[in-house]
Amino acid sequence: MSGGGAALGRMRRRSTFSFNEKILGLAILLITAVPFILHQHIVHDEVHQHPYHRPPQNSKVVNRNFGSAKSGGHLRYSIDGEYTYDGDLPADIGETGRTLLLSALQKRPVWDQELVPDLEKERCDRYFVYQNYDSNTTTYKGRKRRRVYMGSLIADDSWHTLATIAMETYGIYTAVAFVESNRTQTGIPRKSRFVEGTLDHKLLVESNLFGPETEVLIEHFSHEEKVEGMGLIREHMQRDRILKLWKKAGMTPDDVGILTDADETVSRDFLRAVQSCDFPQFDAETENCDTPKVAVASMVFEGSPECMTVTRKWMHPDIILGKCIEGIGDDSFKLTDDERHRPFAWRKPKFTKNKGNYSGWPKEKTTYPLWNAADFRRDQGGFKFIFEDVSYLRFRMGHTGFHFHNFFDTTQQLRNKYRTYGHPVPLADNMTISEIHPDLDLFVDCVLNRNATSNKHKTLTTRLEEFEGRIPIAYTIDGYSLARHKEMGQILLEDELGHDKSWHDNPVSPVGKKNSVPLDEKGK
């Protein structure tokens, strides 16, 4: 994992560290790790359902249920009358994809646009930072809403994911920036998908998918020369373009940036909290970029809306104040290429909070180093986890976002992802879906209702509609979640390689390694 887990890795040793520096670094690391370790322990416990219902309120465009339950809740989404979008839709998204995308494209007001102080205060009271073995709840002090910018790389992501994210964030972002590359992370050529004049471009950029006032920008990235550092650096070169697109769209030091992948989103309620609540990380007057990053604790859906994992969280997206972002903040606090591992890469340890306590940064500078896109994604400075207060978990550390992992429309697309992107599996084309990766094994077990006791992680044992914690708005469309789940089952059953092998048959898995040992060496 490149998110919260990376922040908990062992501190890199340097021969120049003194004994006291090592002790200080270890202390900082442990303090940073406590919320994550505690949270990972919590989510392995049984998730108890928290029953609450929200009173219905009606609109001319959508019906919605929402209210003030302390642990969040469901917002029920339905269309009154006919769909307003009458244009073309992609042919390969299935009936459930058509329903979802038409709902996302529906012309409608931003239903929670009005800022109601009492509701904002109640919302802010639900979110807290776990620090020094105590939870510090945020507050609402009557401020106007902050402007928020979102940015992501984009490639062969499913419209099921893109439409879900658009519905969750509809009308909130000031601008959304996408960068599409003509090569994968491993350098393999791919056909650009969101080119001007195509249906995909029209739907993503020209249709008000993300809201009536939200600007959507897309840049096509091409770099044909060899990249030193390979896939990760190529990825961060692309993410750097996102920061430039934010600047182009008018981002200022007072605004907030959210860096995501195209299968992640902040929950709508927490996104509104980011705009309104008194988080010190988002106060441009007092934030000195020492610990500016907020890491979102995302609920993971594995391949299907009905396959919600209950034993882990994904610690992305990532949120930072514009003042602390390269290209937006004051350039006098920008690190040089020599102070990074290489151009576009993350900073060296002595310029980080969690690995070097900023030991290389001039003490006379009033602001700590600006974050580039690689820092942003890799937790290279200081950061905090923010949770929603929920009553159905022992320590009340609820999720604040969603991760739609391995959402694709064909098994061919899924194999191509694992063969050509991060941590590639070269032989993916010749493997069953389960055999490729343990996450895919969990996905297939869930969708095909197979025994999953041998998997590291577990999925919700009931239907999603019976889980009354916060779920994506799109998954409250009547019938969508179960219909898509069944659709995924049919796609898997039609896969020509079948499902007779699982992750445990893969030679690189723990069981596979054990079984691949020659008979005469067993027991030695």
mmCIF file with all atom_site columns, all heavy atoms in Angstrom, residues 172-194:
data_model
loop_
_atom_site.group_PDB
_atom_site.id
_atom_site.type_symbol
_atom_site.label_atom_id
_atom_site.label_alt_id
_atom_site.label_comp_id
_atom_site.label_asym_id
_atom_site.label_entity_id
_atom_site.label_seq_id
_atom_site.pdbx_PDB_ins_code
_atom_site.Cartn_x
_atom_site.Cartn_y
_atom_site.Cartn_z
_atom_site.occupancy
_atom_site.B_iso_or_equiv
_atom_site.pdbx_formal_charge
_atom_site.auth_seq_id
_atom_site.auth_comp_id
_atom_site.auth_asym_id
_atom_site.auth_atom_id
_atom_site.pdbx_PDB_model_num
ATOM 1   N N   . ILE A 1 172 ? -19.887 20.219 -5.794  1.00 0.00 ? 172 ILE A N   1
ATOM 2   C CA  . ILE A 1 172 ? -19.043 20.707 -4.699  1.00 0.00 ? 172 ILE A CA  1
ATOM 3   C C   . ILE A 1 172 ? -17.709 21.245 -5.200  1.00 0.00 ? 172 ILE A C   1
ATOM 4   O O   . ILE A 1 172 ? -17.281 22.339 -4.806  1.00 0.00 ? 172 ILE A O   1
ATOM 5   C CB  . ILE A 1 172 ? -18.812 19.598 -3.658  1.00 0.00 ? 172 ILE A CB  1
ATOM 6   C CG1 . ILE A 1 172 ? -20.133 19.231 -2.974  1.00 0.00 ? 172 ILE A CG1 1
ATOM 7   C CG2 . ILE A 1 172 ? -17.787 20.047 -2.618  1.00 0.00 ? 172 ILE A CG2 1
ATOM 8   C CD1 . ILE A 1 172 ? -20.006 18.190 -1.879  1.00 0.00 ? 172 ILE A CD1 1
ATOM 9   N N   . TYR A 1 173 ? -17.037 20.509 -6.070  1.00 0.00 ? 173 TYR A N   1
ATOM 10  C CA  . TYR A 1 173 ? -15.709 20.932 -6.516  1.00 0.00 ? 173 TYR A CA  1
ATOM 11  C C   . TYR A 1 173 ? -15.778 22.192 -7.373  1.00 0.00 ? 173 TYR A C   1
ATOM 12  O O   . TYR A 1 173 ? -16.651 22.332 -8.230  1.00 0.00 ? 173 TYR A O   1
ATOM 13  C CB  . TYR A 1 173 ? -15.031 19.825 -7.323  1.00 0.00 ? 173 TYR A CB  1
ATOM 14  C CG  . TYR A 1 173 ? -14.627 18.624 -6.505  1.00 0.00 ? 173 TYR A CG  1
ATOM 15  C CD1 . TYR A 1 173 ? -15.015 17.337 -6.886  1.00 0.00 ? 173 TYR A CD1 1
ATOM 16  C CD2 . TYR A 1 173 ? -13.857 18.761 -5.358  1.00 0.00 ? 173 TYR A CD2 1
ATOM 17  C CE1 . TYR A 1 173 ? -14.632 16.225 -6.149  1.00 0.00 ? 173 TYR A CE1 1
ATOM 18  C CE2 . TYR A 1 173 ? -13.485 17.655 -4.612  1.00 0.00 ? 173 TYR A CE2 1
ATOM 19  C CZ  . TYR A 1 173 ? -13.871 16.391 -5.009  1.00 0.00 ? 173 TYR A CZ  1
ATOM 20  O OH  . TYR A 1 173 ? -13.492 15.298 -4.272  1.00 0.00 ? 173 TYR A OH  1
ATOM 21  N N   . THR A 1 174 ? -14.818 23.079 -7.154  1.00 0.00 ? 174 THR A N   1
ATOM 22  C CA  . THR A 1 174 ? -14.665 24.239 -8.039  1.00 0.00 ? 174 THR A CA  1
ATOM 23  C C   . THR A 1 174 ? -14.154 23.784 -9.396  1.00 0.00 ? 174 THR A C   1
ATOM 24  O O   . THR A 1 174 ? -14.616 24.254 -10.442 1.00 0.00 ? 174 THR A O   1
ATOM 25  C CB  . THR A 1 174 ? -13.687 25.250 -7.418  1.00 0.00 ? 174 THR A CB  1
ATOM 26  O OG1 . THR A 1 174 ? -14.251 25.741 -6.189  1.00 0.00 ? 174 THR A OG1 1
ATOM 27  C CG2 . THR A 1 174 ? -13.438 26.423 -8.369  1.00 0.00 ? 174 THR A CG2 1
ATOM 28  N N   . ALA A 1 175 ? -13.205 22.877 -9.396  1.00 0.00 ? 175 ALA A N   1
ATOM 29  C CA  . ALA A 1 175 ? -12.673 22.325 -10.646 1.00 0.00 ? 175 ALA A CA  1
ATOM 30  C C   . ALA A 1 175 ? -12.197 20.901 -10.412 1.00 0.00 ? 175 ALA A C   1
ATOM 31  O O   . ALA A 1 175 ? -11.756 20.547 -9.315  1.00 0.00 ? 175 ALA A O   1
ATOM 32  C CB  . ALA A 1 175 ? -11.537 23.184 -11.184 1.00 0.00 ? 175 ALA A CB  1
ATOM 33  N N   . VAL A 1 176 ? -12.294 20.098 -11.474 1.00 0.00 ? 176 VAL A N   1
ATOM 34  C CA  . VAL A 1 176 ? -11.812 18.717 -11.466 1.00 0.00 ? 176 VAL A CA  1
ATOM 35  C C   . VAL A 1 176 ? -10.802 18.585 -12.597 1.00 0.00 ? 176 VAL A C   1
ATOM 36  O O   . VAL A 1 176 ? -11.082 18.961 -13.740 1.00 0.00 ? 176 VAL A O   1
ATOM 37  C CB  . VAL A 1 176 ? -12.976 17.725 -11.666 1.00 0.00 ? 176 VAL A CB  1
ATOM 38  C CG1 . VAL A 1 176 ? -12.444 16.309 -11.821 1.00 0.00 ? 176 VAL A CG1 1
ATOM 39  C CG2 . VAL A 1 176 ? -13.958 17.809 -10.504 1.00 0.00 ? 176 VAL A CG2 1
ATOM 40  N N   . ALA A 1 177 ? -9.610  18.063 -12.277 1.00 0.00 ? 177 ALA A N   1
ATOM 41  C CA  . ALA A 1 177 ? -8.540  17.949 -13.273 1.00 0.00 ? 177 ALA A CA  1
ATOM 42  C C   . ALA A 1 177 ? -8.156  16.490 -13.473 1.00 0.00 ? 177 ALA A C   1
ATOM 43  O O   . ALA A 1 177 ? -7.896  15.765 -12.503 1.00 0.00 ? 177 ALA A O   1
ATOM 44  C CB  . ALA A 1 177 ? -7.314  18.754 -12.817 1.00 0.00 ? 177 ALA A CB  1
ATOM 45  N N   . PHE A 1 178 ? -8.126  16.066 -14.734 1.00 0.00 ? 178 PHE A N   1
ATOM 46  C CA  . PHE A 1 178 ? -7.708  14.706 -15.079 1.00 0.00 ? 178 PHE A CA  1
ATOM 47  C C   . PHE A 1 178 ? -6.481  14.764 -15.987 1.00 0.00 ? 178 PHE A C   1
ATOM 48  O O   . PHE A 1 178 ? -6.346  15.672 -16.806 1.00 0.00 ? 178 PHE A O   1
ATOM 49  C CB  . PHE A 1 178 ? -8.824  13.953 -15.813 1.00 0.00 ? 178 PHE A CB  1
ATOM 50  C CG  . PHE A 1 178 ? -10.023 13.634 -14.972 1.00 0.00 ? 178 PHE A CG  1
ATOM 51  C CD1 . PHE A 1 178 ? -11.206 14.354 -15.114 1.00 0.00 ? 178 PHE A CD1 1
ATOM 52  C CD2 . PHE A 1 178 ? -9.974  12.612 -14.033 1.00 0.00 ? 178 PHE A CD2 1
ATOM 53  C CE1 . PHE A 1 178 ? -12.319 14.058 -14.339 1.00 0.00 ? 178 PHE A CE1 1
ATOM 54  C CE2 . PHE A 1 178 ? -11.078 12.309 -13.251 1.00 0.00 ? 178 PHE A CE2 1
ATOM 55  C CZ  . PHE A 1 178 ? -12.255 13.033 -13.408 1.00 0.00 ? 178 PHE A CZ  1
ATOM 56  N N   . VAL A 1 179 ? -5.612  13.776 -15.842 1.00 0.00 ? 179 VAL A N   1
ATOM 57  C CA  . VAL A 1 179 ? -4.470  13.622 -16.742 1.00 0.00 ? 179 VAL A CA  1
ATOM 58  C C   . VAL A 1 179 ? -4.491  12.195 -17.272 1.00 0.00 ? 179 VAL A C   1
ATOM 59  O O   . VAL A 1 179 ? -4.533  11.235 -16.497 1.00 0.00 ? 179 VAL A O   1
ATOM 60  C CB  . VAL A 1 179 ? -3.134  13.906 -16.024 1.00 0.00 ? 179 VAL A CB  1
ATOM 61  C CG1 . VAL A 1 179 ? -1.957  13.584 -16.942 1.00 0.00 ? 179 VAL A CG1 1
ATOM 62  C CG2 . VAL A 1 179 ? -3.075  15.367 -15.580 1.00 0.00 ? 179 VAL A CG2 1
ATOM 63  N N   . GLU A 1 180 ? -4.471  12.075 -18.614 1.00 0.00 ? 180 GLU A N   1
ATOM 64  C CA  . GLU A 1 180 ? -4.474  10.762 -19.267 1.00 0.00 ? 180 GLU A CA  1
ATOM 65  C C   . GLU A 1 180 ? -3.184  10.587 -20.052 1.00 0.00 ? 180 GLU A C   1
ATOM 66  O O   . GLU A 1 180 ? -2.804  11.465 -20.827 1.00 0.00 ? 180 GLU A O   1
ATOM 67  C CB  . GLU A 1 180 ? -5.667  10.617 -20.205 1.00 0.00 ? 180 GLU A CB  1
ATOM 68  C CG  . GLU A 1 180 ? -5.715  9.247  -20.885 1.00 0.00 ? 180 GLU A CG  1
ATOM 69  C CD  . GLU A 1 180 ? -6.864  9.094  -21.873 1.00 0.00 ? 180 GLU A CD  1
ATOM 70  O OE1 . GLU A 1 180 ? -7.362  10.119 -22.370 1.00 0.00 ? 180 GLU A OE1 1
ATOM 71  O OE2 . GLU A 1 180 ? -7.244  7.943  -22.160 1.00 0.00 ? 180 GLU A OE2 1
ATOM 72  N N   . SER A 1 181 ? -2.523  9.460  -19.865 1.00 0.00 ? 181 SER A N   1
ATOM 73  C CA  . SER A 1 181 ? -1.262  9.182  -20.540 1.00 0.00 ? 181 SER A CA  1
ATOM 74  C C   . SER A 1 181 ? -1.474  8.222  -21.709 1.00 0.00 ? 181 SER A C   1
ATOM 75  O O   . SER A 1 181 ? -2.392  7.396  -21.695 1.00 0.00 ? 181 SER A O   1
ATOM 76  C CB  . SER A 1 181 ? -0.259  8.565  -19.563 1.00 0.00 ? 181 SER A CB  1
ATOM 77  O OG  . SER A 1 181 ? 0.935   8.195  -20.228 1.00 0.00 ? 181 SER A OG  1
ATOM 78  N N   . ASN A 1 182 ? -0.591  8.346  -22.716 1.00 0.00 ? 182 ASN A N   1
ATOM 79  C CA  . ASN A 1 182 ? -0.634  7.410  -23.839 1.00 0.00 ? 182 ASN A CA  1
ATOM 80  C C   . ASN A 1 182 ? 0.199   6.155  -23.568 1.00 0.00 ? 182 ASN A C   1
ATOM 81  O O   . ASN A 1 182 ? 0.374   5.319  -24.445 1.00 0.00 ? 182 ASN A O   1
ATOM 82  C CB  . ASN A 1 182 ? -0.150  8.091  -25.127 1.00 0.00 ? 182 ASN A CB  1
ATOM 83  C CG  . ASN A 1 182 ? 1.319   8.483  -25.054 1.00 0.00 ? 182 ASN A CG  1
ATOM 84  O OD1 . ASN A 1 182 ? 1.899   8.597  -23.957 1.00 0.00 ? 182 ASN A OD1 1
ATOM 85  N ND2 . ASN A 1 182 ? 1.943   8.706  -26.204 1.00 0.00 ? 182 ASN A ND2 1
ATOM 86  N N   . ARG A 1 183 ? 0.706   6.040  -22.333 1.00 0.00 ? 183 ARG A N   1
ATOM 87  C CA  . ARG A 1 183 ? 1.422   4.841  -21.913 1.00 0.00 ? 183 ARG A CA  1
ATOM 88  C C   . ARG A 1 183 ? 1.006   4.476  -20.493 1.00 0.00 ? 183 ARG A C   1
ATOM 89  O O   . ARG A 1 183 ? 0.631   5.338  -19.696 1.00 0.00 ? 183 ARG A O   1
ATOM 90  C CB  . ARG A 1 183 ? 2.946   5.040  -21.961 1.00 0.00 ? 183 ARG A CB  1
ATOM 91  C CG  . ARG A 1 183 ? 3.503   5.156  -23.385 1.00 0.00 ? 183 ARG A CG  1
ATOM 92  C CD  . ARG A 1 183 ? 5.019   5.276  -23.381 1.00 0.00 ? 183 ARG A CD  1
ATOM 93  N NE  . ARG A 1 183 ? 5.548   5.341  -24.736 1.00 0.00 ? 183 ARG A NE  1
ATOM 94  C CZ  . ARG A 1 183 ? 5.890   4.286  -25.472 1.00 0.00 ? 183 ARG A CZ  1
ATOM 95  N NH1 . ARG A 1 183 ? 5.767   3.070  -24.951 1.00 0.00 ? 183 ARG A NH1 1
ATOM 96  N NH2 . ARG A 1 183 ? 6.354   4.436  -26.684 1.00 0.00 ? 183 ARG A NH2 1
ATOM 97  N N   . THR A 1 184 ? 1.107   3.187  -20.168 1.00 0.00 ? 184 THR A N   1
ATOM 98  C CA  . THR A 1 184 ? 0.825   2.743  -18.811 1.00 0.00 ? 184 THR A CA  1
ATOM 99  C C   . THR A 1 184 ? 2.021   3.064  -17.919 1.00 0.00 ? 184 THR A C   1
ATOM 100 O O   . THR A 1 184 ? 3.058   3.543  -18.388 1.00 0.00 ? 184 THR A O   1
ATOM 101 C CB  . THR A 1 184 ? 0.550   1.226  -18.773 1.00 0.00 ? 184 THR A CB  1
ATOM 102 O OG1 . THR A 1 184 ? 1.771   0.526  -19.069 1.00 0.00 ? 184 THR A OG1 1
ATOM 103 C CG2 . THR A 1 184 ? -0.523  0.842  -19.787 1.00 0.00 ? 184 THR A CG2 1
ATOM 104 N N   . GLN A 1 185 ? 1.914   2.754  -16.635 1.00 0.00 ? 185 GLN A N   1
ATOM 105 C CA  . GLN A 1 185 ? 3.020   3.006  -15.708 1.00 0.00 ? 185 GLN A CA  1
ATOM 106 C C   . GLN A 1 185 ? 4.273   2.253  -16.106 1.00 0.00 ? 185 GLN A C   1
ATOM 107 O O   . GLN A 1 185 ? 5.385   2.711  -15.863 1.00 0.00 ? 185 GLN A O   1
ATOM 108 C CB  . GLN A 1 185 ? 2.609   2.621  -14.293 1.00 0.00 ? 185 GLN A CB  1
ATOM 109 C CG  . GLN A 1 185 ? 1.619   3.572  -13.656 1.00 0.00 ? 185 GLN A CG  1
ATOM 110 C CD  . GLN A 1 185 ? 1.230   3.104  -12.270 1.00 0.00 ? 185 GLN A CD  1
ATOM 111 O OE1 . GLN A 1 185 ? 1.542   1.997  -11.856 1.00 0.00 ? 185 GLN A OE1 1
ATOM 112 N NE2 . GLN A 1 185 ? 0.520   3.944  -11.542 1.00 0.00 ? 185 GLN A NE2 1
ATOM 113 N N   . THR A 1 186 ? 4.100   1.088  -16.705 1.00 0.00 ? 186 THR A N   1
ATOM 114 C CA  . THR A 1 186 ? 5.259   0.293  -17.116 1.00 0.00 ? 186 THR A CA  1
ATOM 115 C C   . THR A 1 186 ? 5.753   0.671  -18.507 1.00 0.00 ? 186 THR A C   1
ATOM 116 O O   . THR A 1 186 ? 6.647   0.002  -19.038 1.00 0.00 ? 186 THR A O   1
ATOM 117 C CB  . THR A 1 186 ? 4.901   -1.201 -17.086 1.00 0.00 ? 186 THR A CB  1
ATOM 118 O OG1 . THR A 1 186 ? 3.738   -1.431 -17.900 1.00 0.00 ? 186 THR A OG1 1
ATOM 119 C CG2 . THR A 1 186 ? 4.624   -1.657 -15.672 1.00 0.00 ? 186 THR A CG2 1
ATOM 120 N N   . GLY A 1 187 ? 5.175   1.722  -19.100 1.00 0.00 ? 187 GLY A N   1
ATOM 121 C CA  . GLY A 1 187 ? 5.653   2.217  -20.389 1.00 0.00 ? 187 GLY A CA  1
ATOM 122 C C   . GLY A 1 187 ? 5.020   1.573  -21.601 1.00 0.00 ? 187 GLY A C   1
ATOM 123 O O   . GLY A 1 187 ? 5.414   1.858  -22.742 1.00 0.00 ? 187 GLY A O   1
ATOM 124 N N   . ILE A 1 188 ? 4.037   0.720  -21.419 1.00 0.00 ? 188 ILE A N   1
ATOM 125 C CA  . ILE A 1 188 ? 3.383   0.049  -22.548 1.00 0.00 ? 188 ILE A CA  1
ATOM 126 C C   . ILE A 1 188 ? 2.398   1.013  -23.209 1.00 0.00 ? 188 ILE A C   1
ATOM 127 O O   . ILE A 1 188 ? 1.588   1.641  -22.523 1.00 0.00 ? 188 ILE A O   1
ATOM 128 C CB  . ILE A 1 188 ? 2.663   -1.220 -22.071 1.00 0.00 ? 188 ILE A CB  1
ATOM 129 C CG1 . ILE A 1 188 ? 3.693   -2.230 -21.555 1.00 0.00 ? 188 ILE A CG1 1
ATOM 130 C CG2 . ILE A 1 188 ? 1.828   -1.835 -23.192 1.00 0.00 ? 188 ILE A CG2 1
ATOM 131 C CD1 . ILE A 1 188 ? 3.092   -3.478 -20.965 1.00 0.00 ? 188 ILE A CD1 1
ATOM 132 N N   . PRO A 1 189 ? 2.457   1.162  -24.533 1.00 0.00 ? 189 PRO A N   1
ATOM 133 C CA  . PRO A 1 189 ? 1.551   2.093  -25.225 1.00 0.00 ? 189 PRO A CA  1
ATOM 134 C C   . PRO A 1 189 ? 0.081   1.719  -25.020 1.00 0.00 ? 189 PRO A C   1
ATOM 135 O O   . PRO A 1 189 ? -0.274  0.541  -24.945 1.00 0.00 ? 189 PRO A O   1
ATOM 136 C CB  . PRO A 1 189 ? 1.952   1.942  -26.703 1.00 0.00 ? 189 PRO A CB  1
ATOM 137 C CG  . PRO A 1 189 ? 3.335   1.411  -26.672 1.00 0.00 ? 189 PRO A CG  1
ATOM 138 C CD  . PRO A 1 189 ? 3.408   0.520  -25.473 1.00 0.00 ? 189 PRO A CD  1
ATOM 139 N N   . ARG A 1 190 ? -0.765  2.733  -24.918 1.00 0.00 ? 190 ARG A N   1
ATOM 140 C CA  . ARG A 1 190 ? -2.211  2.541  -24.841 1.00 0.00 ? 190 ARG A CA  1
ATOM 141 C C   . ARG A 1 190 ? -2.897  3.630  -25.659 1.00 0.00 ? 190 ARG A C   1
ATOM 142 O O   . ARG A 1 190 ? -2.353  4.715  -25.846 1.00 0.00 ? 190 ARG A O   1
ATOM 143 C CB  . ARG A 1 190 ? -2.711  2.586  -23.391 1.00 0.00 ? 190 ARG A CB  1
ATOM 144 C CG  . ARG A 1 190 ? -2.449  3.904  -22.683 1.00 0.00 ? 190 ARG A CG  1
ATOM 145 C CD  . ARG A 1 190 ? -3.103  3.953  -21.301 1.00 0.00 ? 190 ARG A CD  1
ATOM 146 N NE  . ARG A 1 190 ? -4.551  3.881  -21.366 1.00 0.00 ? 190 ARG A NE  1
ATOM 147 C CZ  . ARG A 1 190 ? -5.340  4.941  -21.550 1.00 0.00 ? 190 ARG A CZ  1
ATOM 148 N NH1 . ARG A 1 190 ? -4.813  6.161  -21.693 1.00 0.00 ? 190 ARG A NH1 1
ATOM 149 N NH2 . ARG A 1 190 ? -6.646  4.802  -21.583 1.00 0.00 ? 190 ARG A NH2 1
ATOM 150 N N   . LYS A 1 191 ? -4.070  3.336  -26.139 1.00 0.00 ? 191 LYS A N   1
ATOM 151 C CA  . LYS A 1 191 ? -4.826  4.294  -26.929 1.00 0.00 ? 191 LYS A CA  1
ATOM 152 C C   . LYS A 1 191 ? -5.516  5.283  -26.009 1.00 0.00 ? 191 LYS A C   1
ATOM 153 O O   . LYS A 1 191 ? -6.224  4.901  -25.074 1.00 0.00 ? 191 LYS A O   1
ATOM 154 C CB  . LYS A 1 191 ? -5.870  3.575  -27.787 1.00 0.00 ? 191 LYS A CB  1
ATOM 155 C CG  . LYS A 1 191 ? -6.666  4.504  -28.683 1.00 0.00 ? 191 LYS A CG  1
ATOM 156 C CD  . LYS A 1 191 ? -7.669  3.714  -29.523 1.00 0.00 ? 191 LYS A CD  1
ATOM 157 C CE  . LYS A 1 191 ? -8.502  4.656  -30.404 1.00 0.00 ? 191 LYS A CE  1
ATOM 158 N NZ  . LYS A 1 191 ? -9.488  3.895  -31.221 1.00 0.00 ? 191 LYS A NZ  1
ATOM 159 N N   . SER A 1 192 ? -5.299  6.570  -26.264 1.00 0.00 ? 192 SER A N   1
ATOM 160 C CA  . SER A 1 192 ? -5.954  7.600  -25.451 1.00 0.00 ? 192 SER A CA  1
ATOM 161 C C   . SER A 1 192 ? -7.461  7.505  -25.643 1.00 0.00 ? 192 SER A C   1
ATOM 162 O O   . SER A 1 192 ? -7.959  7.347  -26.756 1.00 0.00 ? 192 SER A O   1
ATOM 163 C CB  . SER A 1 192 ? -5.452  8.987  -25.843 1.00 0.00 ? 192 SER A CB  1
ATOM 164 O OG  . SER A 1 192 ? -4.087  9.124  -25.520 1.00 0.00 ? 192 SER A OG  1
ATOM 165 N N   . ARG A 1 193 ? -8.158  7.611  -24.554 1.00 0.00 ? 193 ARG A N   1
ATOM 166 C CA  . ARG A 1 193 ? -9.607  7.364  -24.540 1.00 0.00 ? 193 ARG A CA  1
ATOM 167 C C   . ARG A 1 193 ? -10.443 8.635  -24.507 1.00 0.00 ? 193 ARG A C   1
ATOM 168 O O   . ARG A 1 193 ? -11.474 8.726  -25.189 1.00 0.00 ? 193 ARG A O   1
ATOM 169 C CB  . ARG A 1 193 ? -9.915  6.496  -23.313 1.00 0.00 ? 193 ARG A CB  1
ATOM 170 C CG  . ARG A 1 193 ? -11.363 6.240  -23.027 1.00 0.00 ? 193 ARG A CG  1
ATOM 171 C CD  . ARG A 1 193 ? -11.486 5.435  -21.740 1.00 0.00 ? 193 ARG A CD  1
ATOM 172 N NE  . ARG A 1 193 ? -12.856 5.332  -21.267 1.00 0.00 ? 193 ARG A NE  1
ATOM 173 C CZ  . ARG A 1 193 ? -13.205 4.917  -20.055 1.00 0.00 ? 193 ARG A CZ  1
ATOM 174 N NH1 . ARG A 1 193 ? -12.256 4.553  -19.188 1.00 0.00 ? 193 ARG A NH1 1
ATOM 175 N NH2 . ARG A 1 193 ? -14.478 4.858  -19.689 1.00 0.00 ? 193 ARG A NH2 1
ATOM 176 N N   . PHE A 1 194 ? -9.999  9.619  -23.742 1.00 0.00 ? 194 PHE A N   1
ATOM 177 C CA  . PHE A 1 194 ? -10.807 10.817 -23.518 1.00 0.00 ? 194 PHE A CA  1
ATOM 178 C C   . PHE A 1 194 ? -10.353 11.970 -24.435 1.00 0.00 ? 194 PHE A C   1
ATOM 179 O O   . PHE A 1 194 ? -10.098 13.089 -23.976 1.00 0.00 ? 194 PHE A O   1
ATOM 180 C CB  . PHE A 1 194 ? -10.748 11.229 -22.050 1.00 0.00 ? 194 PHE A CB  1
ATOM 181 C CG  . PHE A 1 194 ? -11.331 10.198 -21.126 1.00 0.00 ? 194 PHE A CG  1
ATOM 182 C CD1 . PHE A 1 194 ? -10.521 9.238  -20.536 1.00 0.00 ? 194 PHE A CD1 1
ATOM 183 C CD2 . PHE A 1 194 ? -12.696 10.157 -20.867 1.00 0.00 ? 194 PHE A CD2 1
ATOM 184 C CE1 . PHE A 1 194 ? -11.048 8.267  -19.684 1.00 0.00 ? 194 PHE A CE1 1
ATOM 185 C CE2 . PHE A 1 194 ? -13.237 9.194  -20.026 1.00 0.00 ? 194 PHE A CE2 1
ATOM 186 C CZ  . PHE A 1 194 ? -12.415 8.242  -19.435 1.00 0.00 ? 194 PHE A CZ  1
#
